[in-house]
Amino acid sequence: MNDIDFSFIIPVYNRPDEIKELLESFLNFKGYRSYEIVIVEDGSTETSENIVEQFSNHLNISYYFKPNSGPGDSRNFGMTKAKGSYYIILDSDVLLPSNYLIEVETFLNASYYDCFGGPDAAHSSFTNLQKAINFAMTSFITTGGIRGGKQKLEDFQPRSFNMGLSKKAFLASGGFGKIHPGEDPDLSLRLHQLGFKTTLIETAFVYHKRRVSWSKFYTQVYKFGMVRPILNQWHPKSKSLVYWFPTLFSLGIIVSIILALLHINLPLYLYGLYFTLAFVMALISTRSISVAFQALFAIIIQFVGYGYGFLKSTFNLVVLGKHPEEAFPQLFFKV
């Protein structure tokens, strides 16, 4: 399939500095003919309009301001305004490698999919905290390497920080729902039900900056955990024992400590072995002792936060029989 017309869809909320850095990375694109960028300001009080104007003579940009209704609805809005036949959805906190669009087009021309996801990576300019969190979110030893792009996967569930969607698939599915987070895997699963195929393009990675603190990271993964049982309820075929791993891992640490107090040390030794291996892998990957130590803390936060959120959500939905919007109204935008 040749001559795909690409539109980049980028929602933003009170982060003009991020948009500036992202648009600067567009200026470094190599060997690509044309594309458009659609910026959707989601009811921000600190807008990016002046930043966008600075790039208007160098990039093909459209800028829209709308009332706040969440990232999913803002992406849908952007896609209705876009002129391309294929949409690439980015978060405002990413940077693009110069060959990004070449990698996407080359892949789709060789093997077309109506939806794809790409990995995230840590740029050398990132802070140690950002690098540590990136390791926890992308390493094989934590997430199986799926987010980090270690393998090509059909039926991959793309994440909207780096996601492609054809106009045909958008029109058929209606785009993103009002849940957040979780709107991206929900869309992927609905696309599968409609007969569309998704995939991972390993070479189409972005640098995901993640401007977070430890507390914000915990809140993020906690919400990820709460969302997954909701998605399992909406899409029963997506259920997997894998999603229980963070909960069981976290409970296992508590049990291991109790057993150690009773002089049964083997479980605690096994956890020690796991964290030693994680430290070595982080050290090799980042070449920084400081980042490697912080990566261990990030892994613990990731598993505990996700595991607790998953357990709490499962209890409310399965045991108490609550409706998702009743149990967790903070996860749903009113559109």
Side-chain angles (χ1 to χ4, degrees), residues 144-164:
I146 293 175
R147 286 180 62 104
K150 300 303 181 185
Q151 52 187 322
K152 176 183 173 182
L153 292 173
E154 286 222 357
D155 297 330
F156 178 71
Q157 295 179 15
R159 297 298 184 266
S160 50
F161 64 84
N162 180 14
M163 178 181 187

Side-chain angles (χ1 to χ4, degrees), residues 134-148:
N134 180 267
F135 177 85
M137 295 290 283
T138 63
S139 174
F140 177 82
I141 202 170
T142 55
T143 62
I146 293 175
R147 286 180 62 104

Side-chain angles (χ1 to χ4, degrees), residues 209-245:
K209 202 155 191 177
R210 291 192 184 92
R211 285 185 171 87
V212 296
S213 62
W214 289 120
S215 61
K216 289 180 179 178
F217 180 52
Y218 175 84
T219 300
Q220 181 185 53
V221 293
Y222 169 68
K223 287 183 177 180
F224 288 164
M226 286 197 296
V227 160
R228 180 50 62 176
I230 297 174
L231 296 177
N232 290 345
Q233 188 179 86
W234 290 351
H235 309 282
K237 291 183 180 180
S238 70
K239 291 181 180 180
S240 172
L241 290 175
V242 172
Y243 299 130
W244 278 96
F245 177 76

Side-chain angles (χ1 to χ4, degrees), residues 2 8 20 37 67 129 147 203 213 240 302 306 318 322 331:
N2 297 314
F8 285 89
K20 182 179 181 180
I37 303 169
L129 172 60
R147 286 180 62 104
T203 55
S213 62
S240 172
Q302 181 182 8
Y306 187 103
V318 178
K322 291 185 177 181
L331 298 178

Side-chain angles (χ1 to χ4, degrees), residues 80-101:
T80 63
K81 300 296 184 180
K83 300 178 178 66
S85 60
Y86 208 102
Y87 311 129
I88 298 179
I89 299 156
L90 303 173
D91 278 355
S92 61
D93 62 349
V94 305
L95 305 175
L96 296 176
S98 61
N99 64 334
Y100 176 85
L101 199 47

Side-chain angles (χ1 to χ4, degrees), residues 59-70:
L59 297 169
N60 180 17
I61 308 179
S62 300
Y63 174 86
Y64 299 93
F65 184 94
K66 53 175 283 299
N68 179 253
S69 59

